[in-house]
Each structure stands twice: as C-alpha cells, then as structure tokens.
Amino acid sequence: MLMGGSSLVNVALSIIRNKALAVLLGPEGVGLIGLYGSIVDIAQTAAGLGLGGSGVRQIAEAAGTDDAARIAQSAKVLRRISMVLGLFGALFLAALAFPVSNFTFGDYQHAGGIALLSLAVFFRVVSSGQTALIQGLRGIANLARINVLAGLLGTLISVPLIYLFGAYAIAPSVVAVAAVTTLSTWWYSRRIGASPPPMSMRQFSREGNVLFRLGIVFMASGLLTFGAAYAIRLIMLKEGGAVAAGLYQAAWGLGGLYAGFILQAMGTDFYPRLTATADNHAECNRLVNEQTEISILLAGPGLLATLTLAPLMMSLFYSAEFHGAVELLRWICLGMMLRIVAWPMGFIVVAKGAQTIFFWTEVAATLVHVGLAWLFVSKLGAPGAGMAFFGLYVWHGILIYVIVRRLTGFRWSIANRRHSLLFLPASGLVFSAFLVLPPWSAMVVGFIAVALSGLYSLRMLVELLPLESVPAFIKGWITNSA
C-alpha cells in the first residue's frame, strides 16, 4: 500500500511531466529523451556491476541474522564500492562521448550532451547503492518517501529547464533528476550502519567478492535488458527517423505507466521476502502466487482501459502529434498484460541464486525481442515494435513457467488460473474489436470489458483484505451483491 500510494503520486507527476515535455518538445524531442535515457541506463548498468540487485540480497541476508555489526560492515562496503564505480562509470562515458554520439545519431552533434550525462551515471550508481541499503532492510516507508520526493523535485526542475532552454536542456534535466534522487536516497540511508566496526582489507575483500559474484549476473541481465531497449530505439530511429523514435517512447511510457507502478510497488518488498524463503519451496511458491494474484487484479482493469481509450490517452498525456502511436500502444498493452502474469515468476530464479539459468534466459529474451523488432519494424513500421514486445512475453512467459516448475515445482493457484482466463481473453477481445469493428462499436465493447473486469477485481481484492480495512460502502455493496 505504501509503495503503491507513492507510485501513484509518481504516476500523476509523470503525467504532468510527459504532457509538458510533449507540448514543449514534440515527438522528436521526446525521442531524444528516450535515446539519452537508454544511454544512461546502459552506462549505469555497466558501471554499477549489478551492485543494486546484489546489494539488496546481501543486506537482506545480513538483516536476517540480526547482527548489527554485519549489517554495518555490508553497508560500508556497498557505499564505498558504489562511489568508486560511479566515478569510473562517469569518466568512461565522458571519454566515449564522441563515438557514442556517432554510433547513435550518425554525427557528433550530441557529444556534449552525452558527456554531460556522465554526471547522471555517477549519481545513479551512488543512488542505486543507497537504495539497496534501504530496500534490503525493508525500509518501505522511506522508499515510498524517496519515490515521492524524487518525482516531485524532478518534475519541478526538469519542466522549467525545458521550458526555458528547449531541447538544449534535455541532458541537464536528466542530470538534475539523478542528482535530486541521490540526495533523497542519501538522506534516508545516512544512518544505516553509520558506525561500522573496523574492517581488515581481507574482510572488505571478502564482502566485496560476494557482492560482485552475484552482481555480475545482475549487470549482465541489466545490460541485456537496457541494450535491447537501446537497440529497438535505434531501429526506430533508422527506419522512421526521430519522429518514429518519439512515438515509440510515448507509447512505451504510457503502456508501462500503470502496470509499471503496480510491479514496482510489488517488487520492492517482494524480492527481499522471497530471498528469505528461497529454500522453502512451498512458501516460495505461495508468495509468488500471492503477488501474481494482486498484480493481475490491480493492473488488469487499468490495461483494458488503456487499450480502450488509447487515442484519448495519447492526446491527454501527450498531444495530437502523437496519435500515430495508438496502434503501437495497444500492442504494448497486450504485452504488459502477459508481463504482469509472468513477471513474479522470474523472481524465483533470482532468489534461488540460479545465476546461469538467469543469465541465459535474459540472453534469449534479448535476442527474441530485438530480432522480432528488427523483423516487424522493417516490414510493418512503428506498430512492429509493439508486436515484438507482445511476442517476447508470449515466448518468455512459457519459458519462465517451465523453468520455475523445475526449480521449485511451481504451479498456478486455482485463483490465478481463473483470473488469467478472464483478463487475457478480455484483452484479446478488446484489441480485436478495434481491428474489425467501427470505432464506436469497439469502444462499447471496451467499456463493457473495463466495467465488468473492474467490478470483478474490486470484489476479489475486498475478499483478500482484512474485513476491518474495507471501507463501509464497499463492504455494503459486496454484502448486497452476494
């Protein structure tokens, strides 16, 4: 609830930010934001060596022993290594600014902006280590505060910068947002392990080696994920120019807006909890089924509404210039519906420490995603990128289910089977309606699906909540309808 509430505030802030940037910059500017973001993501992931993910696991394990000295030592190692890696990552990107600009844009005009982005890399690597400290100790309230504070300050800084200086302020605004996020994470993590006991170089090295062993796998996974996102943006840029890249960025941002805040809210506390019970297969499977059920019920109606109202949402959240992304957005929504079903299962592989399996599933997902995008975009234009995302999760969902079935004997609960058999066909029905029916008829089908699925989700969620936490008017509605 805490993370969901903070993420909801961030959704509202991102709506304001996206609308402002879309009006001020247009599709080309939004496309440039997406490409700059991909460059920073890749550089941060390479520089951070996966310490954000491995740090959560390391701190969570230390917290499980209730040994304050061990927690303080782990925190000290994580902080120092993050600072050093952030510095090296920033210097590395700054040194490669000219070749990166030429590779991405085919010229050197953006080299100055890319060099400036090196500061964002430093801030984000440091922030990732500080966030891992908080998340590993399950400081959910503080993470929620960080989300809201970083989102608010980021909006207050980036929008005026873009308004005053236009596209020239895109790189500075990325740096500014990273800086205020780092400041927020420092404030709420500064007391964690503030007075660690003395450590020998051998102890420091041993602690660091544990972080790096698992971190390398997280880094490889992140590079594959962000590398795929970068490659698809490059495909869009080469095939359709800066406008096509901007349409993809808008559709991707809007398609993942609602589902993203559900998954973030769920994953923040879910991963440390799952790590603590990874050896208990029955409990591990119960947690995954529980999280899957919540994610389907919360995200399903919102994704159906996005499918139905795609043109209106494009105008509302961006501008009329982005209407060319409507079909692309609908394909992404279909993929997101599959993602919320498959996503929780993937945590089993990470929590079990199955590093080889985790790495090769990520390699396969990257090859499938980029390969499908290259094939579909060249033949079908911008909607092909959305088709590739949908195809990825058809394939990945089946693969990850087979893997976790072997690892822990995982099976879908009866409730999750029932929910999936409602939401997945409903998504396909609404999507198909817009292909074969007149727009108003398809809109009616969509509204009916949204209303019925929303009522169904509300009823199911009320049954999952403790009775005393349910508002009286909803409780009365459930009682009368029963």
Side-chain angles (χ1 to χ4, degrees):
M1 292 290 287
L2 281 169
M3 289 307 300
S6 69
S7 297
L8 195 59
V9 173
N10 263 344
V11 167
L13 290 169
S14 67
I15 289 170
I16 296 169
R17 188 165 58 247
N18 288 343
K19 180 69 174 181
L21 298 182
V23 171
L24 293 171
L25 297 173
E28 290 190 17
V30 171
L32 182 58
I33 290 172
L35 285 163
Y36 275 179
S38 288
I39 291 169
V40 174
D41 286 338
I42 292 172
Q44 177 205 343
T45 303
L49 295 179
L51 260 65
S54 62
V56 173
R57 183 184 175 91
Q58 189 81 342
I59 298 296
E61 287 181 351
T65 66
D66 289 326
D67 185 344
R70 183 180 168 186
I71 294 171
Q73 287 180 336
S74 296
K76 177 180 179 180
V77 172
L78 184 57
R79 281 194 179 100
R80 291 191 177 181
I81 293 178
S82 296
M83 189 73 70
V84 172
L85 291 178
L87 181 60
F88 275 112
L91 293 174
F92 192 65
L93 181 59
L96 293 177
F98 280 93
V100 169
S101 176
N102 188 48
F103 180 78
T104 305
F105 301 100
D107 56 46
Y108 299 113
Q109 293 181 14
H110 298 277
I114 292 171
L116 187 58
L117 292 177
S118 62
L119 293 174
V121 173
F122 171 76
F123 287 129
R124 284 173 60 168
V125 172
V126 172
S127 178
S128 177
Q130 293 171 168
T131 303
L133 293 176
I134 303 168
Q135 187 177 350
L137 293 174
R138 296 181 66 188
I140 306 303
N142 284 340
L143 286 174
R145 294 185 185 102
I146 289 167
N147 273 351
V148 173
L149 191 58
L152 178 61
L153 292 176
T155 301
L156 292 176
I157 291 171
S158 60
V159 173
L161 277 175
I162 298 294
Y163 176 77
L164 291 172
F165 303 106
Y168 294 107
I170 291 176
S173 70
V174 172
V175 174
V177 170
V180 297
T181 303
T182 303
L183 184 62
S184 302
T185 55
W186 169 79
W187 179 259
Y188 288 104
S189 68
R190 69 193 191 283
R191 293 179 181 172
I192 297 174
S195 302
M199 292 180 71
S200 67
M201 280 302 298
R202 179 175 294 181
Q203 287 176 308
F204 190 94
S205 298
R206 185 168 58 245
E207 193 79 24
N209 285 337
V210 174
L211 282 172
F212 285 129
R213 276 201 303 271
L214 182 58
I216 292 296
V217 180
F218 279 108
M219 180 197 72
S221 168
L223 284 176
L224 290 166
T225 300
F226 293 127
Y230 177 59
I232 291 167
R233 285 175 171 85
L234 284 183
I235 291 170
M236 297 294 289
L237 184 65
K238 305 303 180 189
E239 293 290 337
V243 172
L247 295 179
Y248 176 76
Q249 178 67 20
W252 180 256
L254 197 51
L257 192 66
Y258 184 68
F261 104 80
I262 298 293
L263 296 179
Q264 181 192 5
M266 180 174 67
T268 302
D269 188 52
F270 176 46
Y271 175 39
R273 282 198 297 142
L274 196 65
T275 298
T277 62
D279 294 329
N280 184 337
H281 288 179
E283 179 64 11
C284 183
N285 293 341
R286 184 193 69 79
L287 282 173
V288 171
N289 268 308
E290 175 186 275
Q291 296 297 322
T292 304
E293 183 173 9
I294 295 297
S295 67
I296 293 173
L297 293 174
L298 287 176
L303 286 171
L304 283 172
T306 306
L307 266 171
T308 303
L309 299 171
L312 176 62
M313 295 183 77
M314 271 296 165
S315 295
L316 182 64
F317 296 150
Y318 290 93
S319 71
E321 292 182 87
F322 291 82
H323 271 199
V326 167
E327 186 180 353
L328 173 56
L329 173 60
R330 288 191 172 125
W331 278 107
I332 288 175
C333 286
L334 281 184
M336 285 293 176
M337 192 67 78
L338 294 176
R339 188 181 192 181
I340 62 173
V341 174
W343 191 80
M345 291 187 294
F347 276 97
I348 293 178
V349 180
V350 181
K352 294 287 289 182
Q355 299 176 17
T356 303
I357 295 173
F358 180 65
F359 173 74
W360 286 111
T361 55
E362 292 297 306
V363 170
T366 300
L367 292 175
V368 169
H369 195 187
V370 175
L372 289 176
W374 176 78
L375 178 65
F376 291 159
V377 172
S378 62
K379 295 184 180 299
L380 302 168
M387 297 176 193
F389 181 69
F390 173 69
L392 164 66
Y393 273 97
V394 170
W395 179 85
H396 185 69
I398 295 170
L399 176 66
I400 204 69
Y401 184 80
V402 171
I403 289 172
V404 298
R405 179 76 181 273
R406 292 186 176 226
L407 283 176
T408 64
F410 178 81
R411 289 177 180 270
W412 291 118
S413 65
I414 294 173
N416 279 330
R417 278 178 250 170
R418 184 174 65 247
H419 302 331
S420 297
L421 287 174
L422 169 66
F423 283 102
L424 297 182
S427 302
L429 175 65
V430 174
F431 183 87
S432 301
F434 282 97
L435 294 179
V436 300
L437 296 176
W440 285 108
S441 300
M443 196 76 73
V444 170
V445 172
F447 280 134
I448 292 172
V450 171
L452 292 178
S453 65
L455 292 173
Y456 173 82
S457 290
L458 181 60
R459 185 185 182 96
M460 293 298 104
L461 287 168
V462 166
E463 290 180 3
L464 292 172
L465 290 170
L467 196 61
E468 62 274 10
S469 68
V470 179
F473 74 95
I474 295 179
K475 201 184 306 181
W477 173 75
I478 292 294
T479 303
N480 294 333
S481 63

